[in-house]
Amino acid sequence: MKTAKYQTVILFMLILEGLMCTVVAQNKREFRGAWIQCVNGQFLGMSTEKMQSTLIYQLDELQKDGVNAIIFQVRPECDALYRSSMEPWSRFLTGKQGVAPSPYWDPLKWMVEQCHKRGMEIHAWINPYRAKTKTTKELANNHVAIQHPEWVFSYDGQFILNPAIPECRDYICKVVEDIVRGYDIDGLHIDDYFYPYPVAGQKIDDEKQYRANNNGIGNIGDWRRHNVNVFIQQLHKTISEAKPWVKFGVSPFGIYRNKKNSPIGSETNGLQNYDDLYADVLMWVNNGWIDYLVPQLYWEIGHKAADYETLIKWWNTHSSKRPLYIGEDIERTTKIADLKNPSQNQMPAKYKLHKEMRNVQGTVLWYAKAAVDNIGNYGVMLRNVYWKYPALQPAMPFIDDKAPKKVRKMKVINTDDGKVLFWTAPKGKGWKDEAVKYVVYRFAEGEPIDLDNPANIVAVTGYTFYNISKQGKATYVVTALDRMSNESKGKNKKI
């Protein structure tokens, strides 16, 4: 049903945009992520079969849209959408915390397999401090807030693991180590929940800890920031020691500081990471404690308190020491008109800004289902204009910058499914040298070989074969990618 709708919309848009899809340049390397959340209850009441079929449909549509990374929520409130020996099964999966899915399955393990066979990365998304959401009424006996009530404080109907308590930091890091060691994930992702978002009339109950152990810090705000800084540094160390190729990413609130509070702040007037959530994001970037950053720029261009254009330029200027991706709100982008061209929404203007920002290397969509549902034609525009061709992940030379060797023994074999191009993985020792994915390029007869142009990529795959039936005479080039998407030299095969 969606395919027919897409075809109609595509035809209309090509006429309306004057074949816009032929003129939008694309980067060969770009992080194209999408958040799949569970805390909104979208999977509640679903059977195992229904949830799997829903996710398969979403992944297939996102793949067509050009998405190359999924950020999947697996721990919304010190619980688990995976097999955990430390925390209870999530009620956002089964309806009741502590109850295993039936028929049994492990959503994270399943998602790793599904994403990797589509050539996508998967990043496990956790909420480190939140121990209970407002809507959760009952906690399992093995939940951390039941086992260690002294570790949490209550705030606006939530339970929060206290960042001031070292045992809380150690506990979260043990949970993360369990995930990283137990699953073949590509990244570990946390979002914007550090100290709780301020609510009028609510007070954080941590003055006792501050008086008892303030480390000589004379201001409770500075002390809270110190607590979070120590945690971020410890978490990064935990991940890199367990599996050094697993990327650690953070998605903070979109404003670091307002200029009225700091000379380096942005010309904005909203809630602040530094002052209100006690998250010194720039310190983490500048000290290399995180591997990528995704500020949530969910506002529109022209927003009075938090103008999108002001903020993307601010982050581009101040966050250059680690890859910078932009968190995009699909619904708000498509529901608000372009200031300079009221006949269209703000998607073209925002993606134009992305291209103009030297340090912006990708986008993460909030959220996946909105793209799948093609709200405001966003999905159509991705797959036919902005993300028409595949993209490799941005390089992270601070983790590894050595490419694997070339693939070997390329040959074409006639099978029951037609002609298939096969190759053998290159030899490699250790995670830095081993190939985990391959890029297949196709060049028509007489066309020059150009591996820098993503329009020539026909597949990014974890398999060592590619079906070339019904594609005519061509030269194929296959390269190998390692864990950090370093790309080998190409091996050619003329068909």
Side-chain angles (χ1 to χ4, degrees):
M1 189 167 83
K2 183 179 176 186
T3 302
K5 180 172 72 174
Y6 265 22
Q7 290 172 343
T8 302
V9 174
I10 290 166
L11 179 62
F12 172 75
M13 287 182 57
L14 291 179
I15 296 170
L16 184 66
E17 301 292 340
L19 297 177
M20 179 181 175
C21 61
T22 64
V23 297
V24 175
Q26 295 185 30
N27 296 325
K28 181 179 171 179
R29 289 187 178 269
E30 187 174 31
F31 190 90
R32 300 172 177 176
W35 282 291
I36 295 183
Q37 62 169 330
C38 69
V39 75
N40 66 341
Q42 67 171 318
F43 302 122
L44 276 175
M46 283 189 181
S47 65
T48 296
E49 183 181 7
K50 177 62 175 175
M51 184 170 169
Q52 288 180 352
S53 65
T54 298
L55 286 168
I56 285 173
Y57 175 73
Q58 290 187 2
L59 292 175
D60 286 345
E61 293 301 305
L62 292 167
Q63 184 180 26
K64 294 172 189 173
D65 288 343
V67 169
N68 62 15
I70 297 296
I71 300 175
F72 182 57
Q73 190 174 30
V74 300
R75 184 184 184 261
E77 51 178 1
C78 292
D79 52 359
L81 274 83
Y82 63 96
R83 186 173 183 174
S84 173
S85 61
M86 298 182 65
E87 298 190 310
W89 285 101
S90 175
R91 79 171 182 89
F92 294 108
L93 175 65
T94 66
K96 183 174 181 178
Q97 191 176 95
V99 174
S102 180
Y104 179 84
W105 69 306
D106 183 330
L108 179 55
K109 180 181 179 182
W110 185 87
M111 283 290 286
V112 167
E113 295 168 354
Q114 292 293 323
C115 289
H116 284 173
K117 79 177 186 179
R118 290 171 174 81
M120 296 174 168
E121 287 194 346
I122 180 163
H123 295 223
W125 163 21
I126 73 162
N127 303 89
Y129 292 117
R130 186 171 62 199
K132 186 186 83 67
T133 61
K134 288 184 182 182
T135 57
T136 296
K137 306 302 180 186
E138 183 181 3
L139 298 177
N141 290 334
N142 63 330
H143 190 274
V144 65
I146 301 297
Q147 296 290 317
H148 293 281
E150 73 279 7
W151 286 3
V152 304
F153 61 79
S154 179
Y155 190 91
D156 191 36
Q158 304 175 85
F159 288 163
I160 309 294
L161 283 176
N162 193 333
I165 299 176
E167 288 83 1
C168 289
R169 299 194 291 265
D170 294 342
Y171 174 77
I172 299 167
C173 287
K174 286 178 182 177
V175 169
V176 168
E177 184 179 8
D178 184 50
I179 295 172
V180 172
R181 290 192 184 278
Y183 295 88
D184 188 20
I185 57 174
D186 302 288
L188 192 288
H189 184 90
I190 66 175
D191 54 18
D192 50 325
Y193 294 99
F194 301 103
Y195 278 87
Y197 276 69
V199 175
Q202 299 284 322
K203 188 176 181 181
I204 297 174
D205 184 15
D206 63 352
E207 290 188 5
K208 180 179 178 181
Q209 284 92 2
Y210 174 63
R211 290 194 299 269
N213 185 20
N214 59 25
N215 298 306
I217 300 172
N219 176 284
I220 195 168
D222 290 338
W223 174 74
R224 288 172 179 165
R225 277 182 288 276
H226 170 76
N227 295 332
V228 179
N229 290 341
V230 170
F231 165 69
I232 294 293
Q233 188 177 17
Q234 181 179 348
L235 185 55
H236 183 259
K237 185 172 184 285
T238 298
I239 295 167
S240 61
E241 287 182 351
K243 287 181 180 174
W245 62 85
V246 172
K247 307 164 186 177
F248 176 33
V250 178
S251 176
F253 184 73
I255 299 173
Y256 175 67
R257 300 193 81 183
N258 299 312
K259 194 149 196 171
K260 66 182 181 182
N261 297 109
S262 169
I264 70 163
S266 53
E267 292 286 1
T268 50
N269 185 28
L271 184 123
Q272 305 159 97
N273 276 290
Y274 185 94
D275 302 81
D276 301 310
L277 304 177
Y278 307 102
D280 191 352
V281 180
L282 289 191
M283 175 177 279
W284 312 340
V285 170
N286 292 331
N287 283 291
W289 295 343
I290 61 177
D291 299 318
Y292 68 88
L293 184 70
V294 193
Q296 298 173 20
L297 304 191
Y298 291 169
W299 304 277
E300 68 269 21
I301 299 170
H303 191 284
K304 291 182 179 179
D307 172 52
Y308 178 96
E309 184 172 354
T310 297
L311 284 165
I312 194 172
K313 290 178 177 178
W314 187 92
W315 286 103
N316 178 67
T317 299
H318 292 89
S319 183
S320 61
K321 292 191 175 180
R322 284 293 182 264
L324 172 65
Y325 317 140
I326 302 300
E328 293 283 351
D329 186 298
I330 291 175
E331 290 198 43
R332 294 187 210 182
T333 296
T334 56
K335 287 181 178 179
I336 298 173
D338 188 325
L339 298 181
K340 296 179 181 178
N341 186 357
S343 65
Q344 66 183 20
N345 64 41
Q346 292 201 352
M347 186 180 185
K350 287 187 174 182
Y351 275 80
K352 182 175 181 291
L353 283 169
H354 280 231
K355 294 294 182 185
E356 293 171 353
M357 300 298 111
R358 179 178 179 181
N359 294 314
V360 172
Q361 299 182 51
T363 307
V364 183
L365 307 176
W366 178 255
Y367 61 105
K369 189 175 184 299
V372 171
D373 291 345
N374 193 34
I375 290 177
N377 294 331
Y378 202 99
V380 166
M381 292 296 286
L382 287 178
R383 69 176 63 182
N384 291 288
V385 180
Y386 300 106
W387 293 353
K388 183 176 182 180
Y389 306 115
L392 310 187
Q393 296 295 336
M396 292 189 175
F398 49 88
I399 296 178
D400 173 39
D401 63 356
K402 184 181 178 182
K405 295 179 180 179
K406 294 168 63 172
V407 303
R408 302 175 293 143
K409 302 178 182 178
M410 281 179 62
K411 57 185 175 181
V412 176
I413 298 177
N414 289 314
T415 72
D416 292 340
D417 295 322
K419 288 184 177 181
V420 178
L421 179 65
F422 287 89
W423 59 89
T424 301
K427 294 180 179 179
K429 293 182 179 179
W431 68 270
K432 289 187 177 183
D433 297 325
E434 293 174 350
V436 295
K437 284 189 288 193
Y438 304 91
V439 187
V440 182
Y441 300 82
R442 182 185 184 278
F443 302 92
E445 190 175 18
E447 184 180 0
I449 303 297
D450 179 9
L451 302 189
D452 293 327
N453 184 354
N456 297 316
I457 299 174
V458 292
V460 179
T461 177
Y463 300 114
T464 56
F465 59 86
Y466 178 71
N467 193 307
I468 59 172
S469 299
K470 301 178 183 179
Q471 296 195 21
K473 293 182 179 180
T475 297
Y476 287 87
V477 180
V478 178
T479 62
L481 300 176
D482 64 14
R483 289 276 188 180
M484 302 314 301
S485 289
N486 296 307
E487 187 176 21
S488 74
K489 294 179 179 179
K491 190 170 183 65
N492 299 13
K493 183 68 175 179
K494 192 173 182 179
I495 310 300

